[in-house]
Amino acid sequence: MENHAKFKPRKSGAKQFNPHKKSDLMYSSKEWVEYRKIFLEINPLCYSCGISATAVDHVVPHKGNVALFEKLDNHIPLCTRCHNTCTALFDRHAIPKTQEKLVWLQKNRELKDVRIRIKVLSKYK
Ligand SMILES: [Zn+2]
């Protein structure tokens, strides 16, 4: 089995951790936890509405795909509300509605006059 992941899975982790679920392994990895922390430190504001960000969202939902999970330009900082909205409206579909999500994000940014550029962590390149 291939293991090219930058964010290596570990065997145990957070509450309700499901060792049989690939995305649980990915989110609970030491590397992801560290990356997420630093990403939110250098990108502290929600890309969509400009308030304090709490989540690293995958623009294109990874659905367990390691390459999409790790792809640096697939990460945006979102607040809890925007993240929940995007996940519910656009990500949780058999075929994710990524284009609709991008339109929603752009419209919300214009509405809130948000002018944030996402900074990518160079050490992960
Ligand atoms: Zn937001």
Side-chain angles (χ1 to χ4, degrees):
M1 216 173 91
E2 102 288 8
N3 192 356
H4 60 277
K6 271 190 214 112
F7 306 116
K8 290 187 181 69
R10 66 184 162 102
K11 297 278 185 271
S12 63
K15 210 174 157 191
Q16 294 181 325
F17 172 81
N18 179 354
H20 304 293
K21 199 174 162 197
K22 195 176 176 186
S23 58
D24 274 12
L25 288 169
M26 287 149 73
Y27 280 112
S28 69
S29 78
K30 199 174 126 229
E31 289 83 358
W32 174 257
V33 170
E34 175 72 4
Y35 171 83
R36 182 190 176 283
K37 182 175 169 275
I38 301 168
F39 184 85
L40 290 175
E41 274 171 18
I42 65 165
N43 296 287
L45 302 177
C46 177
Y47 176 79
S48 171
C49 75
I51 72 164
S52 188
T54 54
V56 180
D57 183 63
H58 291 82
V59 179
V60 180
H62 59 83
K63 295 187 181 283
N65 179 310
V66 176
L68 268 178
F69 183 82
E70 293 186 343
K71 198 168 180 255
L72 297 184
D73 60 5
N74 196 31
H75 302 155
I76 52 170
L78 291 181
C79 70
T80 304
R81 188 175 180 166
C82 291
H83 187 241
N84 289 347
T85 302
C86 282
T87 303
L89 290 180
F90 309 111
D91 294 349
R92 280 192 184 148
H93 291 266
I95 299 165
K97 300 181 173 180
T98 305
Q99 281 311 312
E100 290 92 331
K101 177 177 172 177
L102 292 171
V103 169
W104 184 87
L105 285 168
Q106 191 55 41
K107 278 189 181 159
N108 205 44
R109 278 171 71 82
E110 284 165 14
L111 193 71
K112 311 271 178 172
D113 194 24
V114 176
R115 295 167 205 199
I116 297 163
R117 280 200 63 217
I118 298 165
K119 295 181 193 109
V120 174
L121 291 170
S122 56
K123 77 169 190 173
Y124 283 91
K125 272 185 180 170

